[in-house]
Amino acid sequence: MKYEEAVHQLEEIVQKMENGEYSIDEIAVQLQTAQRLIKLCKDKLTKTELEIQKIQAECE
């Protein structure tokens, strides 16, 4: 999954929660989904940051 897709899904989950569109049972499931999406985003950002640092080090 691309970073942008994960962020979009997170935004949808937050919006629906704020609008009260989920039942209590659905909230639990959506929170688990959100946790996975947040981890995916963090991992992609960390990987990108490391790649940028590597490129910068090679250019010095």
Side-chain angles (χ1 to χ4, degrees):
M1 175 182 295
K2 292 184 178 182
Y3 176 84
E4 292 81 7
E5 293 171 14
V7 170
H8 180 72
Q9 284 187 18
L10 279 167
E11 290 171 345
E12 285 182 358
I13 290 169
V14 169
Q15 182 181 19
K16 288 181 179 181
M17 282 186 180
E18 288 177 344
N19 292 334
E21 295 181 35
Y22 292 128
S23 69
I24 295 297
D25 294 327
E26 290 172 322
I27 288 173
V29 171
Q30 293 304 318
L31 286 174
Q32 290 175 347
T33 300
Q35 285 179 318
R36 286 195 318 273
L37 291 169
I38 290 168
K39 183 181 181 328
L40 183 141
C41 289
K42 283 183 178 181
D43 290 347
K44 286 187 179 282
L45 289 172
T46 300
K47 180 180 176 186
T48 301
E49 182 179 7
L50 292 173
E51 289 175 6
I52 290 170
Q53 290 173 356
K54 180 181 174 186
I55 291 168
Q56 287 176 333
E58 291 174 356
C59 292
E60 293 177 353

